[in-house]
């Protein structure tokens, strides 16, 4: 079994890792910051996001998009700071979370659908697509906590993790960004998906909170590999030289108060054989 080594530690709660321009960008959600780190472990603060940052992506012109969770907005990082790209509060019933941005700059944003930290009952919710001009609309409904998402190399398929249904769900992407032909890509049994990433063999790495592992899943549900973590895995991303470094965002807890108090979050890494593919 592969082992992980620590790239950086002392984080509150790392989420949404993305490999971009030779660095790993990620949200330290409960510290309200977006950070970047290089392969030597040198970190920098990219921006502050007071309403909790989550999913990250980039427009074709190179500007970063950041999901702002608690106020349910999509933000854009301009030269003079974060600006609102779209207000999703009328389309997302509760806190927004992860996101994938396609090659045209269309952002697909998930949301909790219920008050997770207050112990509310899970219920189905929406997936929202934001066009580059800021126009937002619902493109899927009745998803059970849509979380990590990937888009295949040909740009034709989006796969979303449904955390509270323990499955990966696929959609065809239409020319206008619509999602159709909903189907189960993989049932995950007792392994709830959080952040996910795609490799060149069309397998998906899945971070499984509560199971303390990252799994590599093939379409249909076969688990090709498991990597155990000491605490809990909340997100993963392929990147680094050649796209064969697997970055795993880990933390002892997702509770905001505990995360800020203990700062036990880490970015951990290992090397794999099959490189990244698709988006993010």
């Amino acid at each position: 079994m592969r082992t992980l080594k620590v790239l950086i530690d002392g984080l509150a709660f790392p989420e949404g890792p993305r490999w971009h321009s030779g660095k790993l960008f990620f949200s330290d959600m409960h510290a309200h910051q977006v950070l970047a780190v290089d392969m030597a472990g040198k970190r920098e603060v990219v921006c502050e996001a007071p309403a909790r940052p989550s999913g990250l992506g980039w427009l074709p012109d190179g500007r970063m998009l950041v999901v702002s969770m608690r106020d349910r907005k999509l933000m854009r990082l301009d030269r003079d700071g974060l600006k609102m790209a779209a207000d999703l509060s009328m389309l997302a019933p509760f806190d927004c979370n992860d996101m994938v941005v396609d090659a045209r700059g269309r952002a697909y944003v998930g949301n909790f659908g219920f008050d997770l930290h207050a112990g509310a009952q899970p219920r189905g919710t929406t997936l929202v697509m934001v066009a580059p001009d800021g126009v937002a609309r619902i493109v899927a409904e009745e998803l059970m906590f849509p979380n990590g998402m990937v888009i295949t190399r040909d740009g034709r398929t989006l796969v979303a993790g449904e955390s509270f249904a323990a499955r990966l769900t696929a959609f065809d992407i239409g020319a206008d960004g619509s999602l159709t032909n909903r189907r189960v890509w993989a049932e995950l049994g007792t392994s709830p998906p959080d952040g996910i990433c795609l490799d060149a063999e069309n397998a998906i790495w899945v971070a499984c909170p509560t199971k303390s592992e990252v799994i590599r899943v093939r379409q249909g549900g076969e688990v090709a590999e498991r990597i155990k973590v000491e605490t809990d895995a909340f997100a993963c991303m392929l990147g680094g030289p050649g796209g064969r470094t697997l970055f795993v965002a880990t933390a002892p807890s997702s509770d905001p108060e505990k995360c800020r108090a203990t700062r036990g979050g880490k970015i951990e890494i290992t090397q794999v054989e099959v490189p990244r593919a698709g988006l993010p």
Side-chain angles (χ1 to χ4, degrees):
M1 182 176 289
R2 298 181 205 274
T3 57
L4 295 165
K5 68 176 184 179
V6 176
L7 179 64
I8 55 170
D9 57 12
L11 304 168
F13 186 71
E15 258 282 16
R18 306 284 186 261
W19 183 257
H20 182 76
S21 298
K23 295 180 181 180
L24 186 79
F25 290 75
F26 64 94
S27 293
D28 194 352
M29 181 185 293
H30 298 319
H32 304 166
Q33 294 179 324
V34 176
L35 291 90
V37 61
D38 64 18
M39 293 300 296
K42 182 181 178 181
R43 72 185 83 181
E44 62 182 288
V45 176
V46 177
C47 65
E48 305 279 346
R52 292 186 190 160
S54 184
L56 307 174
W58 284 265
L59 292 167
D61 64 11
R63 289 180 294 173
M64 176 187 280
L65 295 175
V66 180
V67 171
S68 183
M69 297 181 67
R70 297 187 69 181
D71 56 4
R72 290 174 284 166
K73 292 179 180 178
L74 181 62
M75 309 298 288
R76 184 186 64 247
L77 184 58
D78 292 342
R79 289 185 177 181
D80 56 346
L82 282 178
K83 308 293 182 183
M84 188 179 74
D87 185 344
L88 311 182
S89 60
M90 299 300 293
L91 304 174
F94 207 74
D95 290 1
C96 291
N97 54 359
D98 216 339
M99 166 178 71
V100 66
V101 181
D102 74 6
R104 299 184 185 183
R106 296 179 300 205
Y108 294 85
V109 184
N111 71 88
F112 289 19
F114 66 100
D115 193 343
L116 172 68
H117 295 297
Q121 191 69 22
R123 63 176 183 265
T125 191
T126 57
L127 185 62
V128 177
M129 189 271 286
V130 182
D133 62 3
V135 175
R137 60 188 173 94
I138 294 170
V139 288
E141 297 184 87
E142 294 304 315
L143 291 164
M144 295 302 293
F145 206 98
N147 212 327
M149 287 172 276
V150 297
I151 294 174
T152 54
R153 283 185 289 185
D154 60 11
R156 296 179 180 177
T157 304
L158 181 147
V159 181
E162 292 187 74
S163 296
F164 279 83
R167 66 186 172 220
L168 301 177
T169 299
F171 299 87
D172 294 340
I173 302 174
D176 64 350
S178 298
L179 299 182
T180 59
N181 189 26
R182 178 174 177 169
R183 58 207 182 268
V184 174
W185 195 91
E187 296 280 5
L188 301 178
T190 60
S191 299
D194 196 323
I196 64 177
C197 62
L198 182 72
D199 72 22
E201 291 183 353
N202 203 43
I204 294 177
W205 284 98
V206 182
C208 302
T210 74
K211 300 293 284 188
S212 297
E213 66 181 8
V214 183
I215 59 176
R216 183 172 181 257
V217 182
R218 295 192 174 101
Q219 188 170 0
E222 177 194 354
V223 177
E225 188 171 351
R226 297 180 187 270
I227 303 175
K228 301 300 286 186
V229 303
E230 289 186 0
T231 54
D232 239 335
F234 291 93
C236 55
M237 185 68 215
L238 288 164
R244 291 180 170 86
T245 301
L246 180 67
F247 298 87
V248 184
T250 66
S253 169
S254 63
D255 179 83
E257 302 270 335
K258 292 180 181 177
C259 289
R260 283 191 289 269
T262 62
R263 305 288 296 196
K266 302 174 183 177
I267 299 293
E268 304 184 50
I269 61 173
T270 191
Q271 298 301 307
V272 298
E273 289 75 35
V274 183
R276 65 175 294 193
L279 293 166

